[in-house]
Each structure stands twice: as structure tokens, then as C-alpha cells.
Amino acid sequence: MVTDKLAKRLLRRKWWLILLSLLLTCQLSLITSYAQKPQQGKASFYAKSLHGRRTASGERLHPDSLTCAHRSYPFGTMLQVYNPANGRRVIVRVTDRGPFVRGRIIDLSWRAAKELDIISSGVAMVVVQKVDHFIVPFLPTDEIDIPDLELQTSQGPPPMTPYWRDMKEDQHEYNTSVTTSNKKE
């Protein structure tokens, strides 16, 4: 009788745990699917006075880096931020959480804001979209073949010795001659 009650209680707990895990899984999938769609909203940028402070990912904030803060994308995610007012785009990496101001969807580094030309206005409407594949324009695709160089001297005059070596030898000769003359006296 006691074991039957215990078994029923454990079975009820098991069902609650399964139901709870399904509910959490559905919520997480909704959050990630929401984050995958292009978002439109206001963007602001970090002030230069925050230089050197740690972000939520642990990295230090640098005003010249192309980074941003976003509420839902994982750290390291590359995002394309588009300013429809002037047609400029920039690709940034998520390194922080935020913004914590109502109506804003992204906080940009000072450099990213400069690339989008929103420094003077402070806040601008942007479109944020996740970038899966992008080409880095300055990254070489092929390995560079560097020739082997033989760095040898031709059979010419012997290499010159530094002047300090000659001075050191002269000083040594002087010291030995002074010591021997002092011993004779």
C-alpha cells in the first residue's frame, strides 16, 4: 500500500518534469526563432568614456572595435546592421547584453556607429539581421608562397667589428698594464 502511493507520487512528479521540460523547450525555440528574424528598431552607441570596461562576455570594450550589445543573440554572433536612412551597412560581433532602454534593440560600439553615420544623431532606426556567411575583404584566401633567400656575404673584405669591441680590448690592455706597473712598485 505504501509502495503504491510512493510509485504514484513519483509517476506524477515524472510527468510534471516532462511537461515542464517540454514547455521550456518550446519557449527557447520561440526565443531563438524570434532572434533569427530581421529586427527593426532604434540603435544607440557606447560612449568613448566606457573604453576598457568589461562587457558581459568578459572582453574589454574598445571604441574602435566593431562590436555590439544585443539582448538575445549569443556572444560571438555576427550581425549585419543596416541604416535605411543613408544605406550604410556594418557587420558587428555580439560581445555584450543590452540595451536596457525601452525601444532600442542594439547598442553599437563607437566605430560601428561612425560607420553607420549615427554619431551626430545619437540614436537611429536600423535593421538588424544575423549573418551566417560573410567574406572578410582583407583576409587572403590562398597561401602566399615566400621564396627562400640565401643571406650570405660574397668573398669580399672581412666583416667590420663594432667599435666598442676595440674600445673594450684597449681598456683591458690598459687595465692589465696599470696593474702590472703597480705590482712592480
Side-chain angles (χ1 to χ4, degrees):
M1 195 108 157
V2 173
T3 57
D4 289 337
K5 287 182 181 179
L6 184 62
K8 286 181 182 179
R9 192 179 303 162
L10 288 175
L11 188 60
R12 272 190 248 140
R13 285 185 184 170
K14 188 176 183 181
W15 282 107
W16 277 108
L17 287 174
I18 290 172
L19 184 63
L20 182 65
S21 65
L22 285 173
L23 182 65
L24 288 174
T25 306
C26 290
Q27 284 181 347
L28 287 176
S29 66
L30 287 175
I31 290 171
T32 56
S33 66
Y34 171 73
Q36 301 299 324
K37 296 177 185 174
Q39 299 174 335
Q40 185 171 358
K42 293 180 183 178
S44 58
F45 62 94
Y46 290 111
K48 276 193 168 182
S49 62
L50 298 176
H51 173 71
R53 293 201 182 166
R54 291 207 182 265
T55 60
S57 66
E59 296 180 30
R60 295 216 181 257
L61 182 66
H62 193 276
D64 288 334
S65 62
L66 294 173
T67 59
C68 71
H70 196 275
R71 289 188 189 123
S72 56
Y73 282 109
F75 295 134
T77 305
M78 303 301 276
L79 302 176
Q80 180 184 32
V81 183
Y82 171 66
N83 186 352
N86 57 17
R88 293 187 178 195
R89 299 174 190 269
V90 68
I91 295 177
V92 293
R93 185 170 49 93
V94 178
T95 59
D96 203 1
R97 290 288 168 237
F100 300 109
V101 177
R102 178 178 283 178
R104 297 188 190 169
I105 61 169
I106 195 166
D107 268 339
L108 300 168
S109 65
W110 190 87
R111 171 74 186 273
K114 185 178 178 188
E115 295 287 326
L116 292 173
D117 198 26
I118 63 172
I119 297 288
S120 59
S121 61
V123 178
M125 290 297 291
V126 294
V127 177
V128 177
Q129 188 172 3
K130 182 180 176 187
V131 177
D132 293 325
H133 303 290
F134 62 94
I135 297 172
V136 180
F138 53 83
L139 186 66
T141 55
D142 300 325
E143 288 188 27
I144 300 171
D145 205 14
I146 300 173
D148 292 331
L149 299 175
E150 293 183 22
L151 301 175
Q152 297 177 354
T153 59
S154 62
Q155 294 184 358
M160 296 177 56
T161 58
Y163 71 92
W164 56 266
R165 254 193 215 153
D166 295 334
M167 291 175 60
K168 189 174 179 182
E169 289 172 4
D170 292 341
Q171 184 68 33
H172 180 67
E173 288 174 12
Y174 175 75
N175 289 341
T176 53
S177 66
V178 170
T179 2
T180 54
S181 65
N182 286 345
K183 287 182 182 179
K184 290 180 183 177
E185 295 176 4

